[in-house]
Amino acid sequence: MSGAARTGVFITVEGGEGAGKSTQIARLAEHLRRGDREVVITREPGGSPRAEQIRTALLAGVAKDHGPFAEALLFSAARLDHLDTLIRPALARGAVVLCDRFADSTRAYQGAAGGIDPQEVAALERVVVGPTRPDLTLILDLPPETGLARARQRAEGQGPDRFEAETLSFHQRLREAFRSIAAGEPERCVLIDAAAEPDAVTAAVRAAVEGRLPQLRRGGQGHAA
């Protein structure tokens, strides 16, 4: 992390459409705040005013016709601003940052599912993210048919966004990509069955956080270095 010592904890939550990330992040934040910790909830694309503008364009499909690499560049531009204006300052002051999607989504959506060469995705990630990598990534896993059905129900009559409108085969590739990321980096990632009831998912999330990051247990002391 550039500019200041990192004393906070960076947790990202990943998964396909309708995986329940927002619900589980809100529940985890409530749990951690009971321990008198500062918890910052954020999301990608977005999280800062400039990045939210890029989010609106991306989800509207503005970049779709230009291909997945153009989309990846826009995601990266949003991520740069998000890191500089929100994530890194929060970590420097010792906060727990809970981020709904991060660099793994670029690997999965534009990389594995979109067809960008993995080396190109990795190069973008090195430049944009640098050393500010998650301490823990929770990957909520469920069949894409289930997730897309949940997403449609959540939309309440609104049309699908740029990514929800993709084919089922795209979403199947996404799921496999996230599972591959979890298998390839087990020291950072925990795969969680998101097809279970929400309370069971919450319990699994909490167990993963407290198991991997004991300093965040209720009554724990200090922060991650």
Side-chain angles (χ1 to χ4, degrees):
M1 176 179 170
S2 61
R6 172 170 167 175
T7 60
V9 180
F10 187 19
I11 301 173
T12 58
V13 182
E14 299 280 4
E17 305 299 326
K21 299 185 309 306
S22 298
T23 296
Q24 295 304 327
I25 287 171
R27 290 183 177 192
L28 178 58
E30 181 182 8
H31 173 68
L32 294 173
R33 285 170 178 151
R34 293 192 197 111
D36 295 325
R37 297 181 182 277
E38 180 189 1
V39 179
V40 175
I41 296 177
T42 189
R43 67 178 183 178
E44 288 210 348
S48 65
R50 291 189 188 93
E52 288 291 335
Q53 292 175 354
I54 296 173
R55 176 189 180 89
T56 299
L58 281 165
L59 296 187
V62 169
K64 181 178 180 179
D65 289 344
H66 300 286
F69 190 72
E71 283 188 327
L73 290 175
L74 283 172
F75 275 107
S76 296
R79 186 165 296 135
L80 274 170
D81 192 71
H82 187 203
L83 281 162
D84 286 344
T85 62
L86 189 146
I87 293 175
R88 286 174 179 143
L91 292 173
R93 66 177 182 264
V96 179
V97 177
L98 304 179
C99 190
D100 183 341
R101 299 199 183 283
F102 193 61
D104 291 314
S105 280
T106 302
R107 294 185 191 181
Y109 278 78
Q110 285 73 49
I116 299 178
D117 187 305
Q119 292 185 349
E120 293 180 351
V121 176
L124 272 177
E125 189 173 316
R126 283 195 301 272
V127 170
V128 174
V129 176
T132 314
R133 298 185 180 274
D135 298 295
L136 174 65
T137 296
L138 305 169
I139 297 179
L140 304 187
D141 176 61
L142 79 169
E145 298 89 342
T146 304
L148 290 170
R150 289 180 182 178
R152 285 193 295 269
Q153 186 176 28
R154 180 188 63 202
E156 296 181 348
Q158 299 178 16
D161 68 26
R162 153 75 182 90
F163 298 103
E164 291 169 354
E166 281 286 356
T167 64
L168 180 59
S169 62
F170 177 93
H171 291 282
Q172 289 168 336
R173 293 196 300 275
L174 268 183
R175 185 188 190 192
E176 290 308 310
F178 280 123
R179 290 171 70 92
S180 178
I181 289 167
E185 297 186 51
E187 71 287 350
R188 174 175 68 88
C189 301
V190 176
L191 193 69
I192 291 175
D193 179 11
E197 290 299 316
D199 287 349
V201 179
T202 297
V205 165
R206 191 174 298 175
V209 170
E210 294 182 351
R212 295 295 186 93
L213 301 168
Q215 70 271 31
L216 295 185
R217 293 174 188 160
R218 293 288 294 277
Q221 299 297 318
H223 300 285

